[in-house]
Every structure is written in C-alpha cells, then in structure tokens.
Amino acid sequence: MTAMTETAAKPGRSPRGSKTPRGNSGATDGPALRPRAGWRVKQDLKGASLSLPFLIGFGVFTLVPIAMALKESVFATKTSGLGFGKATSTFVGFENFAEALADTSFWAGMLRVFIYAIVVVPLGQLLSLAMALVLDGVRRRVAARFRIVLLLPYMVPGLVATMIWIYLYSPVVGPLGDFFQLFGLDVNFFSGNTVWSSIGNLAIWGGIGFNMLIMYGSLQSIPHEIFEAARIDGASELRIALDIKVPFLRGSLVLTSLLAIIGTLQIFSEPLLFRAVTPETITKDFTPAMMIFNQAFQVGNVNYATALSIVLGVVVGIVSAIIYRFTNRIES
Amino acid sequence: MKFTNRRRLTLSAAVLASAAMLSACAGGGSVAPAAQETKSGPVTIDVWGWNAETGKQIVDAFNAAQSDVKVNYVLQASNTATQTNFRNAMEAKSDVPCLVQGFAPLTTMVVNGWAQDITDAVKPTEDTYNDGAKAAAKVNDRYYGLPSGADGQFMIINKDTYDKFGVKVPTTWQEFVEAGKTFKAHGVDVTNLAGEDPSTLMNLAQQGGAEWFAIDGDKWKVNFTDKATLAAADIIQQLIDNDLVSNQTYKDRPALYAYFDSGKMASTTTQWWSLTGYKTNFPATSGHWEAVEIPQFSADKKATPGRSTPSFVPVGCENPEAVVKYADWLATPEGIQAGKNPKTGSVGLPSSLKDPSPYVKDIVPKGFFVDDTKAAEVMVEAQTATVGKFELGPNYDAWFPELQDQWGKAVAGQIKLSEALKNVQKFVASDLEKKGISFTAAS
C-alpha cells in the first residue's frame, strides 16, 4: 500500500530508475503510467499465486464438501417394504434442520460440552500460561529442554493418548489408583461421577504443550528493555509477569482459547473410547460429534447427520465470533 | 453491507470454524452393480479377507488342487479396513471382489444392496453343512451368504473355586443364579457382564428361541419383549439385582485377564477361539479350568447360542458358482488341512460341518483344562446344538448402539432390563419408520 501510494504520487518515476519498464518511451507523464500499472498487476498476480496451493486445497477439501453437505442436508433417503430395494432420495427442504433444532439428545450433548468447556478451557489456559511464564523465567538452555518434553503429549495422537490414559486410570492394573490409595483415597476414574474429570485431565495433558509453546513464543518477542525498566523501578518478578508479560500475551491467549473452545465443542475420540468403561454414562450421543458420527455411520442417515454437522458448525462459528468480539472489545 | 476489518475477521473465524466441522461430513450416493470381466480359461475370482495367518496359503492350496477356478486372495488389514475398502469399491463400481469375508450381519449386507442372491449356486451342495450354518446364510429363506458355522457357546468354570465352595455345576440358568448366591457369600462373582457388551443378553435370548426380527410377507415383525427374551432378561436381572456379577470392561484387557485369573470369578461363557488367549493370559489358573455345557432354560430342551457373519458374494460378481466351488472345497478334509496354522500346527474348528469332532482336539490348548478329552466333547456338543440363526433385522447398525446404551444402564442398575428392551424396541420402530421400512411392532 505504501509503495502504491508513493508511485502514484510520483508518476514519472520508474521503480528501477528513470526509465519505464518498456524503455524511455513516455514523452509525457500520462502514457508512462500504463506500463507501470501492467507491471504492478503482474507483481500482484505473482504474489497472489503463492496463495494458490492453499486456495485449491481450501476449495477442494473444504468448500466442495460444504457444498455437498448443504445438498445432502435438504434430502431424505428412504426405502420401502422390507428395506431390500434401492433407496430413493427426496427433497425435504429444511425438514432435517427443523428436526435437528428440536432434537433434545443433540442439544443435551451440546449443553454437556459447553459446561465441560467452561471448566476445561480456562483451566488448561491457566496451566499453559503458568508454564510459559515459568519457562520464560529460566535460562534458555533449560527452557529448550522442557519445551520439547512439555510438547510431547501434543505429538501423541488423540486416540493413542486416550488408550494410554485408560491404562493409567485402570482400577486394576493402573498406577494412579494405587497412588491415591497411599493417601487413603479410593478413586475410581471410570465411574460415572468422575469420567468428565478423567477426560478433562487427558484433554489438558494433550493440549497444554501446544498452548504453552504459542504463549512462550509471544513472551520471547517482548522487548527486554521493558523488564529492565520495571526492575529498576523496583517491580518484583511476579509484578512483571502479571502486569507486563500477561497483557502482552493477550493475542496469544485469544488465539489459543479460540482453538481450545473449537476443539472442545467438537470433542469426539476421548468420550468414544471412554464409552466402554462407563457405558451407562457415556451414551452413543453423549457429545454432538458423537451423535453426528452415530447418525452418519451407524444409523446410516447421512442427510440428518449432515444437517446436524451444519448446526454444530454454525454454533461453533457463533461462539468463536462472540469470543473474538468480546476479547477485541476488552483490548480496545 | 459494509464490512469492517474486524467484522471480516469475525466472519472469517466463524466460516472457518464451521467449515472445519462440515468438511468431515458430506458424501453419500448409492451403490450399483459393477460389471465383472469374463475371461476364457479358468475363472478368476478375487477373495477379500483379513486372515493374515493362513488366508494366502489356503488359496494357494486350492489353486494347486484344481484348474477350473483361480482364486486371488486380497489381504485386508482388518474387519474395519475391509468395510471401508469394500464400500469404496461398490461406490466406484470397479474391482468388486467375488467373495468377501463377512464383516457385518448378513441382513445388513442385503439391505445395503451388497449381497446377491446365490440360492441357485448353493443349493446343489447345501447338504454338506449343518442346519445352523445353512440357517445363518439365509435371509427371507434365500441364500445371500455362504453356509457359515456359528461358534457354539459353552461355559468354562474355575474348578478350584467351584470345589472350594462346594458349588454344583449349574445345568440351568436358574441354578446358575443360585450358584452365584453361594459364591457371593464368599466374595466371588459367578461371572462377568461387561457394561458395553450386551452379547450375553443376545445369546440367552437366542438360546431361549427369541425372534427379535422376523419377516412376515412384505413386513418385518419386531419383538424385543417376547417370552424367550423376557426369560433371558429375568435371569440377567436376578444376577444384577443380587450383585452376583462384576462389570469389567473388555477395553481394559490386562485388567480383565488379571481378574479372570484371580480366582475371584467362577465361570464364563465362551467359544473355541477365545481359549488360546485365555491360556496365554491366565498364568495362575491355567490347568484348573473345566469346560462344561452352557446352562439351559429347561433341562429337557437343549440349545446352544452362537451367531455368525457369513461371507457373501457381492452384487456385480458374475461367477457365484466359482465362489461356491471354492467354499465347498474349504469344507473338505483337504481344504481344512490347508488352513493349518504354520506356527501352532493346528486348524480352526470347521463349525459349518455336520460333524466337526475329528478336528476338535486340535483346538484344545494344552495345559488349560483339567480334562482335555471332556473339553473336546463339550465343544463338539456345543457345536451340534447351535441355533445358528438369530435375525438382527434391516437396521442392526442403527439399533445395536442403542442396545449398548440401554444395556449399560441396566447393568449399572439405573433401569430394569425389561424397560431397556422396551426402549430398544421403541428406537427400532422409530428408525424403521424414518427409513420407510414396513413393520409391525409387538406391544
């Protein structure tokens, strides 16, 4: 934008010197603008072409599926008789959406994950922030070692992590039960009352390293002169952390919180595996994503599953937008 | 509408978040028959399965034994991988195999339009197989699958535990409950009912002669609360109400095995293919188990539960006769021997045969039972009395998770099993209604 303003203000000057890109043909200022405009278009196209791979991927793997999803969601598939014949699809308009909006199982699942998110997301953020501040306070070499170790859980695929924790929680072969027994506590991580905590602990364990890394990166970019000035003024390390470092981290906190909320509202693999250990609590439609999976791949109602996906997508979008606006307002 | 930068960003965040959700859930379409290439010379058929140990060697032996049919074994990674790849092949209408190892109940294959009617091909040699195997391969009295033996259930008891507390081996389910009450007084569970696995209920219902689904003309008859099912539910309810069972999950396998091996569980129903795993994982109690016949509902009527998922010939395969030729060869002594496991030197139990007794000794793991000969006899007996057929209807994939939910609540004592069954029936009726399938539901 600055370059464009500059060249527009000085039309006679070529960016590379006194000649226009097509030679010194411009007798007047007016005609000399045209070749420069062409050059700029070329440059713009070149720049834009760098985003082409992303745009193609976004189009093929996101926009096209969304278009297909929208199409699927306004149809219903039915058979007849014994169900052995070929199924037929009929256009039903917004019937699937109306059903989704009135589906108590779906909204009960949504409420469940909301309450879960209200507890787990702030807790995870606080822990990540604390770890990032501690890492920022130690020497770089020490921090580098811990950074990798703390990021390890994030590198473990969600399903594998859940399997690991199921073994750790196991009341028979897991070590955690014995550990709590040392303090006279009989903790059953699989019981219906504790399963949310068990899943939450696993989610925080998995996500904490990633959030911490983003925050740590932001902390590293704060100019150190500010800390020096604060120290000279007699500020303690705690005061520096709370009044200088944390405000600087607001952008990272918003980003990681948004990602955590989006991920939490779509929670799927953890409750799916925990279902086996507390089937009386974790039913097939325990979370919105589990219900969508069940409708699509077990009930076989892709049309309704797609409508539910759209509703969930919209809810996640609205929540993200609200949080984004809210945090921006605080900042301004 | 004027978009500020912030509004654009807000909108983008919302769209991206929504997009991430939606992109995972779109697709669909229907499966149509695919053309099969016809060639001169031996007919070549592709067979899909996940038998990594002996699948290929069996096919090699078959190809060497005759020259009319050439089988190409396509090894799949697992049951789930087979489902995915098969679905893709049917969607793409290309490379559709001629025989697929059953990965779901047969009626599901028919309803999805995947399995073809192979009655004409199977009929000429159907007498090779036992009644249970033949019944399991039929839907609406037509062969849509290959005769497939169900693995008959029997019971294994920890003999030391039974002897220690002087408990007589139960022959009826009511005696089983009574045995449980005696064990309970000593802190021992009579058996384990995993909260996520309603198969005990299905097995007992099948054994008692329940028919959850039946075809009546062009309608399904749905009845999850018939006399036999309620009798099965009553036995299980007594076990739950009197706290006679544990609820160890299959997901935590090491814990489950440790518990089975602890002497705290007196008995469990099982089938032949579980025995090797038990032998390996029961270091403390191996050599102390005894195989006994599964308890019955009444002493004068004997039936063994056991279900199977028959292999099927997909729509689009033009050589069902060649498939049947291969399947029939698998049931010959030569075919059975071809499946000898190179590591263990044993063959699997040919459960589709009328008399599997010549092979049963092979599958009794050494050092697990108190009496190997008796164990072999019990297994043959279980096999000959297998019901085989238990119709699971046109929407099994839909209602089974609901049954799991209801079973989990019942096992945890939150609801009664009879109530759980009513809830499942209600779910089935609602799902069939949505799918446009005709049915009548028992009240």
Side-chain angles (χ1 to χ4, degrees), chain A residues 54 58 61-62 64-66 68-70 72 77-87 99 163 166-167 169-173 190 258 262 266 272-273 275-277 279-285 289 292 294-302 304-306 309-318 320-322 324-325 328-329 332, chain B residues 6-7 9-11 13-32 87 107 110-113 139-140 144 194-196 215-220 248-256 258-259 394-402 404-405 408-410 412 414 427 431 433-439:
Chain A
F54 165 77
F58 187 70
F61 297 112
T62 305
V64 171
I66 288 175
M68 288 167 74
L70 287 169
E72 288 289 334
T77 309
K78 281 196 173 189
T79 53
S80 59
L82 292 170
F84 294 169
K86 203 168 181 283
E99 194 184 336
M163 293 302 290
I166 283 180
Y167 283 108
Y169 287 145
S170 169
V172 181
V173 295
F190 291 165
L258 266 182
I262 293 169
Q266 297 177 44
L272 189 73
L273 286 185
R275 188 172 178 220
V277 295
E280 73 277 15
T281 309
I282 302 184
T283 50
K284 63 183 184 308
D285 38 22
I292 291 166
N294 176 261
Q295 285 292 327
F297 302 109
Q298 288 174 312
V299 174
N301 191 348
V302 175
Y304 186 51
T306 316
S309 295
I310 292 171
V311 174
L312 177 59
V314 168
V315 170
V316 171
I318 290 171
S320 306
I322 289 171
Y324 193 81
R325 283 198 80 128
N328 267 4
R329 193 168 291 168
S332 61
Chain B
R6 184 178 294 172
R7 190 171 287 171
L9 270 169
T10 310
L11 192 67
V15 167
L16 280 170
S18 309
M21 273 307 307
L22 298 181
S23 57
C25 201
S30 59
V31 178
R87 208 180 268 266
T107 311
V110 179
V111 168
N112 287 343
V139 174
N140 205 13
Y144 281 91
E196 77 274 20
I215 291 173
D216 182 16
D218 63 347
K219 279 184 177 172
W220 286 97
Q248 299 274 343
T249 171
Y250 288 104
K251 212 48 132 194
D252 189 358
R253 195 67 72 150
L256 183 77
Y259 161 71
N395 60 341
Y396 168 77
D397 287 347
W399 63 256
F400 186 72
E402 175 68 14
Q404 280 182 308
D405 284 0
K409 288 182 202 296
Q414 292 176 0
F427 178 91
D431 187 58
E433 183 91 43
K434 276 185 197 163
K435 287 178 171 147
I437 296 172
S438 308
F439 70 98

Side-chain angles (χ1 to χ4, degrees), chain B residues 5 18 117 128 142 357 365 416:
Chain B
N5 275 349
S18 309
D117 184 340
T128 313
R142 304 286 296 174
S357 56
K416 294 287 177 198

Side-chain angles (χ1 to χ4, degrees), chain B residues 32-71:
Chain B
Q36 189 82 7
E37 269 183 44
T38 48
K39 291 173 184 170
S40 57
V43 176
T44 301
I45 55 170
D46 277 358
V47 174
W48 285 17
W50 58 91
N51 178 3
E53 282 183 327
T54 57
K56 182 84 170 58
Q57 75 183 40
I58 293 171
V59 163
D60 288 345
F62 173 73
N63 288 339
Q66 49 74 56
S67 55
D68 297 335
V69 179
K70 186 171 180 296
V71 175

